């Protein structure tokens, strides 16, 4: 078994695995229940794209792809940071209490508002 | 089989391991139920998968300039990923998507350890 045949087989296997992972991640981006799930899936998609470009560079000896990878690894996180800042503004989103079976009677628990019902009239603007 | 062939095949094996990590992360993104577990699954190819791919590319280039660029790629990945993950986790906590009973900071609460 020569090196060329090994390279051909592994090229097809690597391409198929990357395509499958990108497809499954795209499913999570589509059906994610919240915005943050979609953000996490989008970060994973960026890393899959980095892996795919690196594999392309390694398999076809196209080394001009490497500066593109540098720029991707630099700016890949800015989208997630922007969306996270947009989602969680300070004291703009009310605390959603967890499900009733997850409530904890311990007042020292870390859940803000988990031990008391949320005030219906006006929010308590306190420094967090 | 010369040394060049051995290095080429080793680089291909590193690429294959990175692709398998990407598949594992996507399956974890689909199967896990919570935001924190999905973050845990989704950050696997961002660090280990990308580093394995970089190692594979470096085993196949064997030139100084390209290896320097690959080291830069790895350093930038390791610098920027914790910032994004921290922002996403903080946003999830502030919008109430993380149950407070899932967070343990070492303080021994008197409540029973629920098996959820």
């Amino acid at each position: 078994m020569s090196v060329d045949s090994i390279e051909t087989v592994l090229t097809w296997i690597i391409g198929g695995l990357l395509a499958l992972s990108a497809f499954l991640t795209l499913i999570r981006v589509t059906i994610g229940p919240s915005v943050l799930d979609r953000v996490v899936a989008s970060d994973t998609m960026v890393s899959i794209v980095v892996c795919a470009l690196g594999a392309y560079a390694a398999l076809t000896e196209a080394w001009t792809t490497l500066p593109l990878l540098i720029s991707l690894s630099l700016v890949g996180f800015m989208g997630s940071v922007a969306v996270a800042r947009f989602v969680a503004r300070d004291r703009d989103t009310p605390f959603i209490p967890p499900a009733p079976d997850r409530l904890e009677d311990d007042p020292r628990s870390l859940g803000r508002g988990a031990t008391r019902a949320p005030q219906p009239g006006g929010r308590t603007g306190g420094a967090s | 089989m010369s040394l060049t062939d051995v290095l080429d095949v080793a680089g291909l094996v590193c690429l294959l391991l990175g692709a398998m990590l990407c598949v594992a992360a996507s399956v974890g993104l689909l199967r896990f139920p919570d935001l924190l577990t999905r973050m845990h699954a989704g950050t696997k190819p961002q660090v280990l998968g990308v580093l394995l791919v970089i190692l594979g590319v470096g085993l196949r280039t064997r030139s100084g300039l390209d290896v320097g660029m690959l080291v830069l790629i790895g350093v930038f990945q390791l610098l920027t990923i914790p910032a994004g993950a921290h922002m996403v986790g903080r946003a999830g906590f502030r919008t109430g998507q993380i149950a407070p009973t899932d967070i343990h900071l070492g303080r021994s609460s008197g409540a029973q350890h629920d098996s959820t």
Side-chain angles (χ1 to χ4, degrees):
Chain A
M1 193 160 181
S2 63
V3 179
D4 286 337
S5 59
I6 292 175
E7 280 194 2
T8 306
V9 172
L10 282 182
T11 300
W12 281 100
I13 291 175
I14 288 167
L17 288 181
L18 286 172
L20 175 70
S21 60
F23 180 69
L24 295 179
T25 310
L26 196 63
I27 291 175
R28 175 51 68 190
V29 172
T30 308
I31 69 172
S34 67
V35 181
L36 293 174
D37 292 326
R38 294 186 174 96
V39 165
V40 171
S42 301
D43 275 345
T44 311
M45 183 69 83
V46 169
S47 63
I48 288 170
V49 167
V50 169
C51 289
L53 283 174
Y56 171 76
L59 292 171
T60 62
E61 297 181 357
W63 308 119
T64 54
T65 327
L66 298 181
L68 187 64
L69 287 183
I70 291 178
S71 57
L72 256 184
S73 63
L74 269 178
V75 304
F77 80 111
M78 291 183 181
S80 71
V81 168
V83 175
R85 295 285 296 179
F86 175 72
V87 166
R89 295 178 187 172
D90 295 346
R91 300 187 300 273
D92 275 352
T93 59
F95 179 78
I96 303 170
D101 56 348
R102 310 297 293 272
L103 284 179
E104 196 174 11
D105 292 330
D106 190 9
R108 292 178 304 169
S109 66
L110 292 175
R112 299 183 307 174
T115 58
R116 64 184 184 272
Q119 299 294 326
R123 65 170 190 265
T124 60
S128 60
Chain B
M1 291 290 283
S2 61
L3 180 62
T4 305
D5 295 337
V6 171
L7 286 180
D8 283 345
V9 175
L12 278 175
V13 169
C14 286
L15 291 177
L16 181 66
L17 288 177
M20 287 168 70
L21 265 177
C22 288
V23 172
S26 56
V27 170
L29 276 177
L30 276 182
R31 299 274 320 257
F32 282 158
D34 200 8
L35 175 69
L36 291 180
T37 51
R38 282 172 191 159
M39 282 176 66
H40 165 70
T43 46
K44 285 193 191 310
Q46 293 186 0
V47 181
L48 189 54
V50 169
L51 288 184
L52 277 172
V53 168
I54 283 169
L55 180 63
V57 178
L59 283 176
R60 286 175 69 91
T61 57
R62 299 184 292 274
S63 76
L65 182 65
D66 294 335
V67 169
M69 277 199 286
L70 292 170
V71 169
L72 273 182
I73 292 167
V75 167
F76 289 154
Q77 284 284 119
L78 292 182
L79 282 179
T80 56
I81 283 167
H86 164 73
M87 298 299 287
V88 172
R90 192 179 64 155
F93 180 72
R94 287 188 177 177
T95 53
Q97 299 189 20
I98 297 170
T101 55
D102 287 340
I103 303 172
H104 301 286
L105 287 183
R107 61 172 62 187
S108 61
S109 62
Q112 291 294 321
H113 193 70
D114 53 348
S115 62
T116 53

